Amino acid sequence: MIACYARVSTSDQKLPRQVRSVLPYVEDKFGTDIGQDITEVGDYVSDENTSDDPISLAGGDVMLFYDRLTGTNTDRKGYHDLMDAVDSGDVDAVVSDAVSRVSRSLRDLDRTAERVVEQNNAELHLIKEGFQLIPGKEDPFQRAMFRLLGVFAELEAELAQLRAREGLQTRIEADENYRHGRAPLGFVKSDGEIRPGPDYDLTVSTLRDVAEGYLSKRKAAKRLDTSRRTINRSLNDRSELYGL
């Protein structure tokens, strides 16, 4: 079985784009007929009303795992479902659009590669980087390059957090009353400080979807459990807090 994995990001591809990348790759690389309109599959996973259960394609020869959440670690349902399938021994290859889709933590990326390739003898394919890890083919240069990709993915995530903190500090310094109100969307107040909260990545991803026309403000408000007024304010008055 070929296992494909897609995950929404704050600065990378949206789910439909990733699906339209990994599935044609599987057809070309492994000679597998998906047997379904790839555009329709991409549209299906972008619908927030669908479940997060994996999608079976090509008579079960291809499984699509996906997450709508973002983050630097691997605490995601789709990822856990993927790795459970890998551990079952049924997966011959894992295909993802880019290294940052798998993880933006070097530690988690290393663990994923070890679990897929070394422990379960499955291949790992990263399309955007043109990268493949193949069981039994030890290549120190390939492994070093793989870890380097992880370093840059982790750095990108850390820089995004840094830009958010700098943007917030600028706002606080410009408006003394700013710190006395509620924390901005996606942020939390703790010990007198305002900092990105656990839903910050999801907030950024959702606001970016709205800004780029992929999501309505009504659906964004529902996804983030807030109001359209807050969505408007975040986009129009606080966009620097989200790198927009």
Side-chain angles (χ1 to χ4, degrees):
M1 178 181 76
I2 310 301
C4 302
Y5 180 67
R7 177 175 69 87
V8 75
S9 171
T10 61
S11 59
D12 212 290
Q13 294 180 320
K14 303 301 181 289
L15 277 176
R17 295 179 185 174
Q18 293 178 48
V19 170
R20 293 162 194 157
S21 170
V22 296
L23 295 185
Y25 179 90
V26 168
E27 288 189 319
D28 181 64
K29 184 70 177 180
F30 300 97
T32 302
D33 183 8
I34 296 300
Q36 192 168 338
D37 186 286
I38 292 174
T39 299
E40 291 181 357
V41 177
D43 291 341
Y44 176 81
V45 299
S46 70
D47 185 351
E48 64 180 332
N49 295 316
T50 67
S51 70
D52 293 324
D53 294 331
I55 299 173
S56 177
L57 302 164
D61 290 337
V62 177
M63 294 292 293
L64 174 62
F65 301 84
Y66 57 98
D67 283 302
R68 297 188 187 88
L69 298 178
T70 62
T72 57
N73 60 33
T74 52
D75 188 17
R76 308 172 234 122
K77 180 183 182 300
Y79 174 85
H80 288 308
D81 290 342
L82 166 68
M83 298 312 295
D84 286 344
V86 169
D87 288 339
S88 73
D90 295 331
V91 174
D92 300 304
V94 174
V95 178
S96 191
D97 184 55
V99 65
S100 58
R101 303 305 87 227
V102 179
S103 178
R104 285 187 168 177
S105 161
L106 180 59
R107 180 188 62 184
D108 289 333
L109 188 64
D110 270 343
R111 289 176 176 175
T112 299
E114 179 181 2
R115 199 165 163 188
V116 172
V117 181
E118 298 176 15
Q119 296 180 7
N120 291 286
N121 293 312
E123 300 177 7
L124 179 60
H125 294 247
L126 304 173
I127 299 172
K128 185 169 291 183
E129 292 85 3
F131 200 90
Q132 302 173 22
L133 285 179
I134 310 297
K137 291 187 178 181
E138 287 298 327
D139 185 338
F141 178 76
Q142 278 278 88
R143 177 63 72 173
M145 289 299 297
F146 179 74
R147 297 194 84 250
L148 186 60
L149 292 174
V151 169
F152 282 111
E154 187 172 72
L155 177 62
E156 183 182 358
E158 291 176 353
L159 287 175
Q161 291 280 343
L162 177 61
R163 287 193 296 269
R165 289 193 294 268
E166 290 177 343
L168 182 60
Q169 186 60 36
T170 299
R171 291 297 298 264
I172 290 175
E173 292 175 355
D175 185 356
E176 180 65 24
N177 295 321
Y178 191 80
R179 71 185 67 187
H180 301 299
R182 295 180 59 185
L185 186 64
F187 289 81
V188 295
K189 285 188 174 182
S190 177
D191 297 327
E193 294 184 359
I194 302 176
R195 64 188 65 173
D199 295 330
Y200 175 75
D201 288 330
L202 177 61
T203 300
V204 172
S205 176
T206 301
L207 292 176
R208 190 177 297 275
D209 280 350
V210 175
E212 295 180 358
Y214 292 102
L215 190 69
S216 70
K217 293 177 181 178
R218 179 183 62 81
K219 288 186 176 181
K222 180 179 179 181
R223 179 186 294 178
L224 298 177
D225 192 24
T226 188
S227 66
R228 276 183 283 183
R229 179 180 179 183
T230 299
I231 296 296
N232 279 325
R233 187 177 185 187
S234 299
L235 288 169
N236 299 328
D237 300 331
R238 298 176 169 177
S239 59
E240 74 275 10
L241 302 184
Y242 310 100
L244 302 177

